[in-house]
Amino acid sequence: MKGSDVLAPQGTLNVVREGAAATILLDNQKMRNAVTKDMWQQFVPTLHMLGADPAVKVVVVRGAGDHFSAGADISALREILLDQDTGRHDGGHVSAAEQALADFPKPTIAAIDGYCAGGAWQIAGACDIRMASDRAAFGLTPAKIGIVYPLSGIQRLVRLVGPATAKFLLFSGDFIDAREAAALGLVTRVIPQDRFWPEIEAFAQRLATRSQLSIHAMKDLVDAIAEGAADVAERSDFWQLEMAASTDAEEGISAFLAKEAPVFSWTPHRPC
């Protein structure tokens, strides 16, 4: 699916479904997909809807047209970052959207083409996997406009790239290309632009055929380990019991020995 194939009204999140994969499309093309307050607010209900849909196994987040996103809408930045409960400008709608993405139990892929700047990085950074075209450019730009990123976004950046690289990116606000982003740990894979969208679609559909028990379990455990959670062992015990009660392992082993494609059947016990 090319960026020009799907157009939505300015300033919306649009959901496009292809088989077991759903795409959340950031669409505000007149502003290089800058994320407005309304768009930030749409993340939580959109992810709740996709999480509750058993037909959706993978979610891709991308921008419409030629860019992932130029970041938060600067003209409404104070309102966007305002925490309604505390009155502090420490994340507000940005942090709520970022946390909803980070907590989403199904696999998420940020497909980054063109610019990924400012608050757009917090969207990409909250996804499980970040894949970039070779023409993507990344800029973490708080020092250029005199703001302090929300704590959750800084913590996630430090976990991904380490404190020294995080300081380099945040202090300078300099843009880096996709290859350097991959070398620094911001993205997982760089793909030539002419093959980018077909490979993203193929990868998402491939994840949908894997054991969802394995994916949900390992997503939960990897995140818990990365965050230093105190209950990692308990979570592991839970997933081992889930595996024992499921038929996925039996199906996977039998299919492997028979040189056939497995058909896994595990689904979450309750809506995600």
Side-chain angles (χ1 to χ4, degrees), residues 200-213:
I200 292 293
E201 182 176 348
F203 181 68
Q205 297 297 338
R206 192 158 67 249
L207 291 191
T209 69
R210 304 304 197 224
S211 166
Q212 298 307 299
L213 166 63

Side-chain angles (χ1 to χ4, degrees), residues 186-205:
L186 287 179
V187 298
T188 311
R189 187 179 175 195
V190 178
I191 302 169
Q193 209 282 327
D194 61 353
R195 303 201 313 265
F196 185 62
W197 296 116
E199 290 205 24
I200 292 293
E201 182 176 348
F203 181 68
Q205 297 297 338

